[in-house]
Amino acid sequence: MNGTKNGLPLRNLVWPRSLHAQLALLSGLMLALTIAVYGWYTAREQSAIAEKAILTEMQILAQNLATASADYLIIRDFASLEQILIQSAEFPGVLSIQVTDAAGRRVGDVVRSENSAPARVRFGEPALAHPSTGSGGTFVQRETDRLAVWHPVTSGGILGWVRIEHSLRTIGEIRGQIRKTSLIAVVLAILVSTALLLAFLNRPMRAIQRATLFAQKLDELRGSKIAVDRTTVEIEQLGDALNEASARLLDSESRLDHLAHHDPLTNLPNRLLFLDRLNQAISQAQRAKNPVALLFLDLDRFKVINDTLGHIIGDQLLKDAGDRLSGIVRDGDTFARLGGDEFNIILTYMSHAQDAATVAQKLLDLLSQPFVVEGHELFITASIGITLFPTDGAEAQTLLKNADAAMYRAKEQGGNQYQFYSPIMTIKAHERLAMETGLRHALKRAEFAMYYQPQVDLRTGEIVGMEALIRWLHPTWGIISPTDFIPLAEQTGMIVPIGEWVLRTACAQNKAWQSAGFPPMRMGVNLSSRQLKEKGLVGLVGRVLGETGLEPRFLELELTESLIIPNA
Amino acid sequence: MSALHICAALFAAVSLWVLPVAAETKPAYTFAVVPQLPPLAAHRAWAPFARRLSEGTGTEIRLKIYQTLPEFENDVFKGIPDFAFMGPYEQVRAFDPVGYVPLVRDGGDPLKGILVVRKDSPAKTVRDLDGMEIAFPAPNSCAASLYMRALLGEKEKLRFTPRYVVSHTNVYRNVILGMARAGSGANKTFERDTPEVRAELRVLYETPDMVTHPLSAHPRVSLELRKSVVENILRMTGDEAGRRILNEVQMPKPVKADYTRDYKPLERLGLDRYVVR
């Protein structure tokens, strides 16, 4: 096991992971370190001072002894010499005193075993090697536990030497004392400063904890605030930042919520919100037994404007229309945009169905005024489909489908009107859907055929040109005229591949007839504005001409307006 | 105020100033100690004794310590100290001219002169010291010098060179340190020296017993005081501290001394010719 316990490195057992504890411990350690260093330094200083003091005293003592010893050495009164040595050895810390003759032979030797014991005379020790310095002053020898101070006994020349040994144990004791005191101080420092800092930091740390807890639950607590501890700048900043974040979170959420429920372009409720409101309205209407009306408003010929003027203007038009029209609804109603160029309205609390018609007419009237967008004066109308709850459906989905059908009917009837739903519209809607599906497959299944209508010069009676017309030959539905399927093709975008087929087929046929020897003439091919919007149309025409070999002067492209052609 | 009044007042003032001082002052007596030891050692040995005696007699006994024997003898033969602890033969020499009266002496072991050599010395008998230098304290030290020199010269017929090193203790140390082949001291000082010293030396030769040192009084000292001193000294044996004090001054068993009984016999020893004057 290399140094882990419960998956944490062992280091964490010694060094805490809490900032609180770390700071407290660190301060304690710093203080302890300072004290230890100071203690060590002081110990050294004090030792040096003490040693110096001892040295000075010993030098003086040695000097005095040397002076006193001179007489006795000369007259060889070793007994009297011994007496002064014994007296001198009383000096605290003195370990031994020797007086030697010039050769180093001991003539007086006094020792003290411990500080309290009296000095004893000693005989028989070997001669001392005296220092060889030529100077007449003291000489110091230093060993680990003692100091030896030499002084020559002079009278004319050197008669002998005095040596005093002094214990350095007191210095060791001083050092030990200081160390002991320092150690106690170190321990105290660690304890006290750790405790102090733990206490002092308690409040800020708890504030941080509270802030952390708040941040962790910010999701739930968004919008609410915590009490900000203003004792320290950092914590105050943290608290304020969290409160701001909380407010912003709430704000974002609101905005997100809004975005999720509203159309970005017009800021009107979107499908999600709309459905929700519709369900609410239905529930409420079930209880209150008053009808709810659904109005689907589709802008007529919006595609033309979008295709010709561009979608920037188209979008702006939608926005302006939305602004103008949405003002009509009351508080309990909903004016929404579910997509495209369609606006969807829920009318609640209606007294009777006719109220819905009134509203629809008002909407149509509002649109009679032109819109000015980017300098363009635009006139638009709308087709409105109306369904009623519970008459036209008991569920939201049904109502939506039927409102759509009613709107389509209004469009079929020429636009700029409203239509109430009737069941037949559903049938028509189904039919329409079937046709759309068939149309998608028609090109693949080669169900299209080109008919060429000759153009005759009425004066000469000669054929001067042709017009290519497309017909759809459906296996079950029979021949379908372009008036019936071209608008659908334009709506679905199928017009592009169909158009290309038309172009290609017509050109090829014209070329074929020319090649067959018939007099060459112009072929007219209809283009819808939808095709015109396609990039590469020019390229396409060029390619087709190239492939078929038809000379461009024999092709005439005619632009037709994309209209839902009204019935007679 | 008349002159008489002034004088009386002055007299009263002066007496008042002098009298209290006078009342506090005890009679002081000098006490000379023969220098067997260096002055410091001698003082250390005798000061407690002097203090105790002062307390006991109600006087102030002032010690007089000497560095050399000649200085001591000088004072003694001039009759300067009131009391003196002197060598037995000094007592004899001083009795007629000055009249010091022995009061007490030690009644225990007799005094002996001893000849010491280093413990590792090759000398086996005193004969081995023939022709050598021998250390003595002072020429006139009774047992250590006078008696020993007489014996060595006359009885042992030894040839030797005396060297005088002032004190008994110095004799011993000179021998230990090899400054002299042998030295002559006294049993009373030898046994009171440090164990370290005694461990280094060996007694080679001894004199016969001699009477112990007297503590004597100058005739001018009152009989009453002499009696008091004797009583005090004898009384010191009664307590532990006193016995220690007495031992320090070589009188562990003090007895009354009598000149005729104790010291007169020494006149017949014939030591006079060794005395250096």
Side-chain angles (χ1 to χ4, degrees):
Chain A
M1 265 307 185
N2 46 352
T4 62
K5 186 180 160 145
N6 301 338
L8 293 169
L10 259 174
R11 191 168 50 90
N12 283 354
L13 289 179
V14 174
W15 186 246
R17 285 204 68 216
S18 151
L19 180 67
H20 195 184
Q22 276 181 5
L23 286 173
L25 197 58
L26 196 67
S27 94
L29 288 176
M30 294 268 84
L31 197 56
L33 186 67
T34 308
I35 291 173
V37 166
Y38 183 70
W40 174 82
Y41 178 75
T42 303
R44 258 179 30 134
E45 282 292 293
Q46 291 302 319
S47 307
I49 290 171
E51 192 169 313
K52 190 131 202 307
I54 289 172
L55 189 62
T56 309
E57 284 167 350
M58 287 302 106
Q59 281 172 336
I60 293 171
L61 186 62
Q63 198 167 359
N64 291 342
L65 264 181
T67 311
S69 306
D71 285 351
Y72 298 127
L73 270 182
I74 292 169
I75 65 173
R76 302 219 213 164
D77 186 353
F78 304 115
S80 300
L81 181 63
E82 188 180 293
Q83 289 303 308
I84 60 170
L85 291 189
I86 288 177
Q87 290 292 97
S88 302
E90 298 291 307
F91 205 90
V94 170
L95 290 171
S96 73
I97 307 181
Q98 291 84 32
V99 176
T100 72
D101 62 9
R105 210 160 56 130
R106 302 182 195 218
V107 296
D109 192 355
V110 157
V111 289
R112 282 173 76 192
S113 46
E114 313 141 12
N115 226 13
S116 48
R120 289 176 346 198
V121 176
R122 186 168 61 172
F123 296 104
E125 295 290 314
L128 286 175
H130 62 85
S132 55
T133 70
S135 69
T138 52
F139 181 83
V140 181
Q141 283 170 338
R142 200 192 182 286
E143 286 161 56
T144 45
D145 66 335
R146 59 185 62 199
L147 206 62
V149 176
W150 294 78
H151 201 285
V153 182
T154 54
S155 176
I158 291 189
L159 300 174
W161 293 90
V162 169
R163 183 182 87 154
I164 308 180
E165 283 184 318
H166 193 289
S167 166
L168 292 177
R169 207 152 54 100
T170 47
I171 294 180
E173 280 164 10
I174 290 173
R175 252 210 285 265
Q177 187 60 33
I178 293 178
R179 273 203 214 108
K180 202 159 60 136
T181 317
S182 296
L183 186 64
I184 293 172
V186 156
V187 171
L188 272 178
I190 294 179
L191 289 174
V192 168
S193 103
T194 305
L196 272 178
L197 231 76
L198 278 173
F200 176 73
L201 289 175
N202 194 32
R203 184 172 158 167
M205 285 299 162
R206 279 204 283 151
I208 291 177
Q209 272 178 350
R210 282 202 304 276
T212 308
L213 218 64
F214 184 70
Q216 284 168 345
K217 296 216 182 90
L218 201 57
D219 236 35
E220 304 164 23
L221 296 170
R222 62 185 178 277
S224 53
K225 292 175 178 278
I226 55 165
V228 176
D229 188 315
R230 299 199 183 275
T231 48
T232 58
V233 171
E234 291 83 358
I235 292 178
E236 184 186 53
Q237 285 176 347
L238 179 64
D240 285 338
L242 278 173
N243 281 342
E244 276 170 39
S246 169
R248 275 204 304 273
L249 198 63
L250 186 69
D251 189 44
S252 293
E253 194 188 277
S254 312
R255 280 191 281 129
L256 224 88
D257 194 64
H258 183 87
L259 275 173
H261 290 97
H262 291 77
D263 168 53
L265 178 63
T266 55
N267 214 24
L268 295 168
N270 65 2
R271 175 174 290 274
L272 206 63
L273 187 54
F274 181 81
L275 286 173
D276 190 50
R277 295 263 184 92
L278 183 58
N279 283 318
Q280 272 180 7
I282 290 172
S283 314
Q284 187 272 327
Q286 276 168 341
R287 283 196 300 275
K289 307 269 188 285
N290 54 273
V292 172
L294 212 57
L295 274 67
F296 274 26
L297 186 150
D298 188 287
L299 297 176
D300 303 326
R301 296 167 54 234
F302 181 77
K303 277 191 108 30
V304 176
I305 294 168
N306 220 26
D307 290 345
T308 40
L309 293 178
H311 68 86
I312 294 169
I313 292 179
D315 284 350
Q316 189 59 44
L317 177 61
L318 273 173
K319 266 188 24 190
D320 293 345
D323 283 340
R324 192 191 285 187
L325 296 176
S326 62
I328 207 164
V329 295
R330 301 160 304 168
D331 275 341
D333 304 329
T334 304
F335 191 97
R337 179 188 173 213
L338 265 48
D341 57 344
E342 194 180 295
F343 295 101
N344 319 84
I345 303 148
I346 305 172
L347 297 175
T348 55
Y349 297 104
M350 296 195 321
S351 321
H352 40 74
Q354 200 47 42
D355 292 346
T358 314
V359 172
Q361 188 55 54
K362 276 204 201 139
L363 287 168
L364 291 173
D365 292 341
L366 273 175
L367 287 177
S368 61
Q369 292 296 311
F371 288 89
V372 181
V373 180
E374 306 270 340
H376 300 276
E377 204 184 28
L378 302 167
F379 288 91
I380 52 168
T381 57
S383 308
I384 305 179
I386 309 175
T387 51
L388 297 167
F389 171 87
T391 332
D392 299 325
E395 293 172 346
Q397 288 304 325
T398 321
L399 289 166
L400 291 170
K401 187 165 63 76
N402 295 342
D404 198 55
M407 182 194 71
Y408 195 78
R409 174 75 181 152
K411 229 179 239 317
E412 274 184 332
Q413 294 300 313
N416 199 18
Q417 57 185 268
Y418 62 85
Q419 287 283 336
F420 277 88
Y421 172 76
S422 69
I424 195 146
M425 295 177 188
T426 304
I427 296 168
K428 288 250 180 217
H430 283 155
E431 282 175 9
R432 212 167 45 248
L433 190 61
M435 175 166 286
E436 193 182 309
T437 316
L439 192 62
R440 288 193 191 280
H441 297 302
L443 195 61
K444 245 192 337 214
R445 295 178 188 158
E447 289 170 2
F448 291 116
M450 290 303 296
Y451 283 43
Y452 300 97
Q453 184 165 27
Q455 289 162 335
V456 178
D457 185 344
L458 286 175
R459 280 187 322 189
T460 59
E462 284 178 8
I463 297 176
V464 293
M466 292 170 282
E467 192 173 335
L469 300 167
I470 185 173
R471 292 285 180 274
W472 184 5
L473 307 177
H474 194 274
T476 41
W477 301 334
I479 301 173
I480 303 170
S481 131
T483 56
D484 290 333
F485 71 84
I486 288 296
L488 195 58
E490 283 172 342
Q491 278 170 30
T492 55
M494 291 293 302
I495 192 68
V496 174
I498 292 170
E500 189 181 327
W501 181 85
V502 164
L503 191 65
R504 215 178 276 276
T505 312
C507 288
Q509 182 64 71
N510 197 8
K511 180 66 187 175
W513 277 332
Q514 283 179 6
S515 306
F518 289 106
M521 38 183 119
R522 269 205 315 268
M523 171 80 76
V525 174
N526 291 319
L527 283 181
S528 77
S529 59
R530 177 77 175 82
Q531 284 170 284
L532 218 65
K533 291 224 87 187
E534 284 296 307
K535 276 191 277 211
L537 177 65
V538 173
L540 172 68
V541 171
R543 263 204 314 282
V544 167
L545 287 173
E547 282 164 17
T548 55
L550 183 71
E551 290 173 53
R553 59 193 172 107
F554 294 123
L555 176 66
E556 190 175 87
L557 297 170
E558 289 175 32
L559 182 67
T560 59
E561 275 192 71
S562 299
L563 292 172
I564 297 174
I565 300 168
N567 283 340
Chain B
M1 197 126 55
S2 72
L4 193 59
H5 286 140
I6 293 171
C7 283
L10 267 173
F11 179 74
V14 168
S15 350
L16 276 171
W17 172 58
V18 163
L19 271 173
V21 175
E24 279 179 16
T25 316
K26 289 194 273 192
Y29 295 89
T30 48
F31 181 8
V33 176
V34 66
Q36 293 170 309
L37 312 172
L40 204 54
H43 192 272
R44 214 185 3 248
W46 282 92
F49 177 83
R51 204 180 10 244
R52 182 90 177 232
L53 205 56
S54 299
E55 285 162 18
T57 58
T59 60
E60 194 191 322
I61 306 288
R62 291 200 195 137
L63 276 177
K64 209 154 189 273
I65 305 288
Y66 295 85
Q67 272 205 302
T68 63
L69 192 57
E71 285 170 18
F72 173 75
E73 288 186 345
N74 219 19
D75 273 11
V76 164
F77 282 105
K78 287 203 189 115
I80 293 174
D82 301 310
F83 295 93
F85 183 80
M86 60 183 85
Y89 200 66
E90 271 144 11
Q91 173 64 71
V92 169
R93 283 165 53 208
F95 192 66
D96 277 337
V98 193
Y100 280 97
V101 177
L103 298 178
V104 290
R105 63 174 178 86
D106 188 46
D109 297 333
L111 181 64
K112 278 203 243 253
I114 54 168
L115 196 62
V116 294
V117 292
R118 278 176 62 119
K119 60 172 186 250
D120 59 4
S121 166
K124 297 277 191 314
T125 68
V126 84
R127 290 244 55 84
D128 298 328
L129 300 173
D130 196 32
M132 302 286 169
E133 204 182 61
I134 301 179
F136 295 91
N140 296 345
S141 304
C142 299
S145 186
L146 292 174
Y147 204 5
M148 181 63 79
R149 281 191 292 128
L151 279 171
L152 289 178
E154 291 170 24
K155 183 157 181 246
E156 305 297 329
K157 305 282 196 281
L158 209 65
R159 286 166 304 147
F160 60 91
T161 315
R163 196 155 62 79
Y164 297 105
V165 297
V166 179
S167 66
H168 293 221
T169 46
N170 207 22
V171 166
Y172 306 137
R173 279 149 184 78
N174 266 266
V175 173
I176 293 172
L177 294 172
M179 308 287 177
R181 282 297 179 84
S184 176
N187 61 341
K188 298 264 177 185
T189 54
F190 188 65
E191 66 205 12
R192 283 174 181 78
D193 211 322
T194 64
E196 288 84 4
V197 163
R198 282 179 279 139
E200 297 288 320
L201 296 172
R202 178 158 56 90
V203 177
L204 193 65
Y205 184 80
E206 279 180 356
T207 66
D209 293 350
M210 209 175 181
V211 69
T212 51
H213 287 53
L215 192 154
S216 312
H218 194 275
R220 64 170 172 266
V221 172
S222 68
L223 278 170
E224 196 193 318
L225 180 56
R226 288 189 228 170
K227 207 159 146 232
S228 172
V229 165
V230 170
E231 273 167 17
N232 269 287
I233 290 173
L234 294 178
R235 216 181 308 134
M236 279 191 213
T237 59
D239 61 280
E240 179 65 42
R243 284 194 288 271
R244 257 186 281 129
I245 289 172
L246 287 174
N247 192 42
E248 277 297 305
V249 300
Q250 300 175 26
M251 290 195 286
K253 297 194 178 94
V255 296
K256 278 206 217 153
D258 177 78
Y259 181 77
T260 315
R261 181 193 68 195
D262 299 330
Y263 297 99
K264 202 159 167 64
L266 289 178
E267 291 170 10
R268 292 198 299 271
L269 270 182
L271 299 174
D272 205 64
R273 89 175 87 113
Y274 296 95
V275 171
V276 172
R277 288 185 169 81

